[in-house]
Amino acid sequence: MRQMASLMLLGSLWASACSQAPASAPAAPKASPKPEVALTASALTPDPKLSRLPLGTRLVVEAEARPARAVRPEQLFAAMQRQGILLSRKRQVLASTVGALYCELAVSDTGLGVSFCEYADDAAARAGAESSHRLFDAIVPGRTLISHGGSVLTLTHAQGPRAERAAHAIADTFSSLSPVKRER
């Protein structure tokens, strides 16, 4: 029960940050020109201009800043579905919170939280995982973070044997994926 409460808390934190964000990249506001902000390889210190932008615009900027080569959430989520692990929700979430360039969050049909973030490279992914530990471990204990191919997978475990099997399958699948080039 505590794990489910933790998952719900993490989900609500992410959801409150992205309450109006659809799963695909949202459209930028038409009235404003494209903002001039930069997400650097050291995304743990993003351009301060980025923090002043509306959330929808920030998500667009992050979606456009995906790294050239990384393990992608699309790869993992497709593999999960082939294995019969169904996703009840999936959406882009704010990546700069953990120093990432792009992040997606999903919840499996077993209540397992799956967060997936892309970074500029392996070193940035490791730094992002450390940042995530510092920010969220006290709030959501028992998470599993795996860094691979310039990306970080975070599993927030739900209880029960079915959820545990799904967590192991997802972790194994993630670790077996090869980085791919960004599609434009």
Side-chain angles (χ1 to χ4, degrees), residues 11-108:
S12 66
L13 288 171
W14 282 102
S16 67
C18 305
S19 61
Q20 300 301 316
S24 60
K30 293 180 182 180
S32 304
K34 184 174 176 184
E36 293 299 321
V37 296
L39 290 175
T40 64
S42 175
L44 288 173
T45 55
D47 185 329
K49 294 178 200 169
L50 185 64
S51 65
R52 293 189 295 268
L53 296 175
L55 178 61
T57 304
R58 289 177 74 174
L59 292 172
V60 169
V61 169
E62 289 182 355
E64 291 174 352
R66 293 178 78 173
R69 189 168 183 79
V71 174
R72 307 281 182 209
E74 297 88 348
Q75 293 172 271
L76 179 65
F77 296 160
M80 288 170 58
Q81 289 184 328
R82 285 191 300 273
Q83 294 176 31
I85 302 169
L86 303 176
L87 301 176
S88 58
R89 293 184 299 271
K90 183 180 79 147
R91 68 174 53 183
Q92 180 186 354
V93 294
L94 196 58
S96 58
T97 304
V98 290
L101 297 174
Y102 179 80
C103 290
E104 287 190 22
L105 176 70
V107 178
S108 77

Side-chain angles (χ1 to χ4, degrees), residues 91-165:
R91 68 174 53 183
Q92 180 186 354
V93 294
L94 196 58
S96 58
T97 304
V98 290
L101 297 174
Y102 179 80
C103 290
E104 287 190 22
L105 176 70
V107 178
S108 77
D109 59 340
T110 62
L112 182 67
V114 182
S115 173
F116 194 109
C117 294
E118 298 174 355
Y119 292 82
D121 54 36
D122 287 329
R126 285 189 300 275
E130 290 172 15
S131 174
S132 180
H133 279 298
R134 283 190 308 275
L135 290 169
F136 297 111
D137 279 357
I139 301 169
V140 187
R143 298 176 314 135
T144 300
L145 279 75
I146 305 167
S147 177
H148 168 67
S151 296
V152 173
L153 170 70
T154 304
L155 297 172
T156 305
H157 297 282
Q159 293 194 354
R162 191 166 156 240
E164 285 301 316
R165 283 192 302 274

